[in-house]
Amino acid sequence: MYVSDLALDDFRSYDELVLALEPGVTAFIGPNGQGKTNLVEAIAYLSTFSSHRVAADAALVRQGTTGAVVRAKVVHGERPSVVELEIVAGKANRARLNRTAVRTREALGVVRTVVFAPEDLELVKGDPGSRRRFLDDLVVLLTPRLAALRSEYDKVLRQRVALLKSAGAARRRGGREDSGTLEVWDAQLADVGAQLVAARAEVVRLLRPHVAAAYEQVSSGQGPARIDYRASIDVVDEVPDPDTALLGDPGEAGDSARATVDEREKALRDTTAVRDRLLAAMGRLREKEIERGVALVGPHRDDLALTLGTLPARGFASHGESWSYALALRLGSYQVLREDDTSPWGPDGEPVLILDDVFAELDSRRRARLAELVAASQQVLITAAVAEDVPDGLAGARFDVRDGAVTRV
Ligand SMILES: Nc1ncnc2c1ncn2[C@@H]1O[C@H](COP(=O)(O)OP(=O)(O)O)[C@@H](O)[C@H]1O
Ligand SMILES: [Mg+2]
């Protein structure tokens, strides 16, 4: 798919912007702070209804105004759709699809994007939270109806943690906690949590070969890159040595260790089994959880383990390797989406690829490899401070971005 038209009202630094786009490569060039990222952020927002830069939508609304509108016409195969989102700070978004008001979740999945940006170094170097979000975003891009699952899980988790804390407080006052209510929330958490775990484990299975291949293509030799879902349920279920088992290198660890990891992953895709294991684990951990006021097991404690050769990427990979790994995760997502033909919007699942200010960060070899990899994509949007940052192989449309004006050059 590709975006053929974009219109912004009061989004970030733009009061009003109307832009016609084409398939193929488009580069937005301009000095820092001129609105290049704001522009691609708007397109990316339409695919996840969240920003890759900020957690709160308030920052997306132009200062001094109360709401922003992002509208895009996208073309799947031959079929155009117009999706429009109104972002009102502190309130729920309003969506329109082909000029008709719809529930926001009905507009999710129309636009697919994959963004690679400097912030993505966090995927490798940062906390598990960023990797969980990476997986969840891909889950939702593939299966938009699962967006509800994620928000439902957050809600259940908050309720359960509040209850654990009040049970702890009641106990410290010498009273008794209401264990019946807690059990209700245990069941809810296990139910929704198991579906989330299964969806993530499936996405990891789909991603794995693509991430390994992309890493090999953009890196300079260190590898292979191997990703594994590391579930807190496996850790608390006291597998003999969860750390080494999950981080083991497929080459060195041998077939039996590899088989264990693969079996474990398969088990995580069994929703009923995971639900039962989560329930049992919460039963066992009940005392500890009440004491500490923390939910110790569930998808909110899971991680995506990134291995390079025999070592975890986090803490061991060099800066360049971390960059390559982050890029491989994004290119891997891109390939998974491209191969996916389950979208209700038709078989053209290929997302818009957005490369925000990344060429300047790559050495010339990686730059050239990336350019080769993306040259044939249906639509690639690139931002760069200077035209020289965009590799020669990526000829296409150029826009100058300056003082909030976006001009075709
Ligand atoms: N909500 C907002 N209202 C007004 N201006 C904003 C808002 N959010 C960001 N900006 C402005 O946008 C500019 C940054 O734009 P950005 O697209 O990130 O630049 P770049 O071209 O370097 O990618 C900054 O000058 C910032 O002040
Ligand atoms: Mg920028």
Side-chain angles (χ1 to χ4, degrees):
M1 55 151 287
Y2 69 95
V3 174
S4 66
D5 296 273
L6 176 72
L8 305 179
D9 289 317
D10 292 329
F11 183 88
R12 290 280 196 185
S13 51
Y14 293 97
D15 55 350
E16 215 182 74
L17 178 79
V18 178
L19 204 60
L21 296 166
E22 291 156 32
V25 178
T26 300
F28 299 95
I29 314 284
N32 284 331
Q34 302 296 307
K36 303 182 299 294
T37 300
N38 293 347
L39 197 133
V40 291
E41 182 184 33
I43 296 175
Y45 188 87
L46 292 178
S47 75
T48 56
F49 297 177
S50 67
S51 158
H52 70 288
R53 293 204 286 186
V54 285
D57 283 350
L60 306 179
V61 176
R62 191 164 69 89
Q63 200 174 35
T65 65
T66 53
V69 176
V70 181
R71 186 169 55 244
K73 187 170 174 185
V74 295
V75 183
H76 304 83
E78 303 272 275
R79 180 172 151 202
S81 316
V82 178
V83 55
E84 179 180 315
L85 267 194
E86 188 182 345
I87 306 162
V88 185
K91 285 199 194 152
N93 289 344
R94 276 197 289 263
R96 291 161 78 83
L97 188 55
N98 298 324
R99 321 228 172 248
T100 309
V102 293
R103 278 176 294 193
T104 46
R105 69 178 131 93
E106 291 171 56
L108 199 56
V110 184
V111 182
R112 283 178 162 189
T113 66
V114 167
V115 185
F116 180 52
E119 288 86 348
D120 286 334
L121 206 50
E122 271 293 294
L123 287 176
V124 183
K125 299 197 175 215
D127 295 334
S130 61
R131 288 181 290 278
R132 287 194 293 267
R133 186 180 159 182
F134 165 75
L135 290 179
D136 289 344
D137 281 348
L138 187 54
V139 163
V140 172
L141 279 170
L142 281 166
T143 318
R145 68 182 160 75
L146 294 183
L149 198 62
R150 188 162 66 163
S151 48
E152 176 71 8
Y153 186 78
D154 291 343
K155 201 177 84 194
V156 171
L157 179 66
R158 269 199 308 276
Q159 297 274 11
R160 188 168 178 274
V161 169
L163 219 55
L164 287 169
K165 284 194 202 304
S166 66
R171 196 177 274 190
R172 282 187 290 279
R173 284 196 306 269
R176 277 197 53 80
E177 71 266 10
D178 176 3
S179 60
T181 316
L182 201 48
E183 269 157 29
V184 171
W185 288 104
D186 286 4
Q188 291 262 349
L189 188 132
D191 209 32
V192 185
Q195 295 176 61
L196 194 53
V197 168
R200 287 182 187 167
E202 171 62 8
V203 149
V204 171
R205 186 186 71 82
L206 293 172
L207 264 176
R208 181 177 296 119
H210 294 300
V211 172
Y215 185 84
E216 202 182 322
Q217 285 171 312
V218 296
S219 72
S220 16
Q222 291 294 315
R226 155 109 194 173
I227 61 170
D228 287 291
Y229 192 65
R230 187 203 288 262
S232 53
I233 186 68
D234 282 331
V235 178
V236 304
D237 275 355
E238 291 166 337
V239 289
D241 191 351
D243 285 331
T244 50
L246 278 171
L247 286 174
D249 162 57
E252 306 236 326
D255 289 345
S256 66
R258 180 81 293 137
T260 323
V261 174
D262 290 343
E263 271 160 33
R264 195 172 294 143
E265 184 178 84
K266 191 163 166 231
L268 291 176
R269 296 200 300 271
D270 181 342
T271 314
T272 314
V274 174
R275 187 196 61 201
D276 293 347
R277 288 170 64 197
L278 284 170
L279 258 185
M282 283 184 274
R284 286 200 311 277
L285 293 165
R286 166 72 45 92
E287 288 306 306
K288 222 190 249 178
E289 289 190 316
I290 290 178
E291 212 173 279
R292 294 177 48 189
V294 177
L296 290 170
V297 65
H300 62 289
R301 308 271 288 195
D302 295 355
D303 197 357
L304 176 69
L306 310 178
T307 314
L308 203 49
T310 55
L311 295 170
R314 190 184 182 195
F316 288 91
S318 70
H319 187 75
E321 287 164 352
S322 301
W323 256 102
S324 297
Y325 217 129
L327 177 57
L329 290 170
R330 292 302 181 192
L331 291 175
S333 311
Y334 178 78
Q335 290 297 345
V336 168
L337 289 163
R338 189 151 121 152
E339 285 180 5
D340 168 60
D341 57 5
T342 64
S343 160
W345 301 97
D348 178 15
E350 180 170 342
V352 176
L353 184 61
I354 295 173
L355 304 172
D356 182 21
D357 212 8
V358 292
F359 283 106
E361 306 260 356
L362 298 170
D363 59 39
S364 57
R365 216 190 71 88
R366 285 188 175 90
R367 228 185 242 210
R369 297 296 291 138
L370 180 57
E372 266 171 57
L373 285 172
V374 307
S377 301
Q378 194 173 158
Q379 189 172 44
V380 191
L381 307 178
I382 296 169
T383 76
V386 288
E388 296 76 66
D389 282 345
V390 183
D392 294 336
L394 290 179
R398 297 274 152 118
F399 287 89
D400 201 45
V401 183
R402 203 174 287 265
D403 298 332
V406 183
T407 334
R408 180 83 190 242
V409 287

